Amino acid sequence: MNKSINIPPLYYPLWLLLKGLSLLPLPVLYLLSDFLYLIVYYVVGYRKKVVLNNLRNAFPEKSTAEIRQIAKDFYKQFMDVVVEILKLRSMGAAEMERRIVFSNQELLDDFVQQGKTVITMGSHSCNWEWVLSAGAVQFSFPAYGIYKPLNNPFFEAFMLKTRSKLGAGLIKMKDTLRDFAANRNMPRVVAMLSDQTPLKSEITFWTTFLHQDTPFYEGAEKLAKKFKCPVLFLDVKRTKRGYYTLTFDVISDGTSDTVPITEVFAQKLEAAIRRAPANYLWTHKRWKHKRPQS
């Protein structure tokens, strides 16, 4: 448990419950996932309107039946991700290495062996929480992830413990620039989830993404150009239940200031989503901000 975070005694039973559930084998947890899908989709209808609206706007060419099928498939895999994140709390290195395969790790290795910090730009596709831990297990160099602390002290402590269990380093979002400056010569990889919606006051970049005006954070691009970091797109594919293949794709080798890193990321992410739309996280109001009219 992260001792810097004070967890109210009220949460202790929940901590023990989640830790106990994480000890169950994944096939058993997938039975729980199947049950949760029925409750979340058919009974509670968790953010179903948001999901369907996002899908309709992102894929106007698809029929109503196709949109509803994608939504159902999304909720099924989303519940799988929930129990997989729970399993991460007790998962060992050997099982993680068996379930996550890096198809072209040599691409990342080559940059790190040059003594560089490499930025990977990922998204909320498939199981984004396993990715960093898989890197910590399989890479011969440090793997760090940028994260935004949660407001709830219990879930903040639980996720910190879960994310760092297999050796991954964690950097608070607000400390990112300071960390890069202090460790500019450290050969390592730093993972960033770059598809999140910026605060309205922080929007500096817009593009057309899935048929819609969409803002993106430019943090990865600014860091890469300031510190001459190579940038790789991380494409995650779900090969079967509980198994994923990760592929790196170069966005920038770190030698040029002219590469439109954020735009290229958006294009690669859209292509990945179109390939397997149900694997993306559709529950958030990704398009809540409107682009100013010029």
Side-chain angles (χ1 to χ4, degrees), residues 235-237 270-277:
D235 188 9
V236 185
K237 296 179 182 177
E270 177 166 336
I273 292 173
R274 289 190 175 280
R275 183 187 67 233

Side-chain angles (χ1 to χ4, degrees), residues 63-267:
S63 67
T64 299
E66 289 174 313
I67 292 296
R68 290 197 173 276
Q69 186 59 54
I70 293 173
K72 289 180 179 180
D73 292 342
F74 158 70
Y75 278 98
K76 289 177 182 177
Q77 74 86 31
F78 184 33
M79 292 303 101
D80 277 3
V81 171
V82 169
V83 300
E84 288 173 3
I85 293 172
L86 181 60
K87 182 61 182 177
L88 180 58
R89 179 65 186 83
S90 64
M91 186 180 289
E95 184 173 10
M96 176 59 73
E97 190 168 3
R98 181 168 60 87
R99 291 181 174 277
I100 295 282
V101 174
F102 291 92
S103 68
N104 61 343
Q105 185 180 323
E106 65 278 0
L107 188 62
L108 172 63
D109 292 346
D110 287 346
F111 283 119
V112 177
Q113 287 167 6
Q114 295 172 31
K116 298 179 179 181
T117 289
V118 180
I119 297 173
T120 63
M121 297 180 74
S123 68
H124 291 83
S125 297
C126 295
N127 186 334
W128 57 91
E129 289 290 352
W130 277 10
V131 172
L132 180 60
S133 292
V137 167
Q138 299 187 48
F139 300 158
S140 60
F141 41 83
Y144 286 80
I146 309 297
Y147 80 101
K148 184 177 181 180
L150 302 173
N151 293 326
N152 183 290
F154 167 74
F155 286 107
E156 170 67 357
F158 185 84
M159 290 308 298
L160 280 177
K161 188 71 172 179
T162 299
R163 287 166 171 163
S164 61
K165 179 181 179 293
L166 294 178
L170 298 172
I171 305 167
K172 291 182 180 179
M173 186 181 293
K174 67 180 182 63
D175 297 332
T176 303
L177 182 59
R178 186 183 307 113
D179 178 90
F180 268 69
N183 299 288
R184 65 174 68 226
N185 297 318
M186 179 189 291
R188 61 174 178 166
V189 59
V190 178
M192 303 181 71
L193 293 176
S194 303
D195 62 329
Q196 297 172 325
T197 304
L199 296 174
K200 190 172 183 179
S201 60
E202 298 178 357
I203 296 174
T204 57
F205 175 88
W206 290 88
T207 190
T208 301
F209 175 71
L210 292 170
H211 297 290
Q212 299 162 91
D213 288 332
T214 310
F216 282 85
Y217 276 114
E218 289 188 287
E221 179 164 353
K222 292 177 180 178
L223 288 168
K225 292 181 176 178
K226 181 176 180 64
F227 296 102
K228 307 300 181 184
C229 299
V231 181
L232 306 181
F233 175 74
L234 184 59
D235 188 9
V236 185
K237 296 179 182 177
R238 192 185 199 212
T239 54
K240 62 180 180 178
R241 204 173 200 182
Y243 291 85
Y244 301 91
T245 296
L246 279 57
T247 303
F248 296 109
D249 191 4
V250 177
I251 294 178
S252 170
D253 64 6
T255 63
S256 173
D257 290 335
T258 62
V259 178
I261 292 173
T262 309
E263 178 64 39
V264 174
F265 167 74
Q267 293 172 0

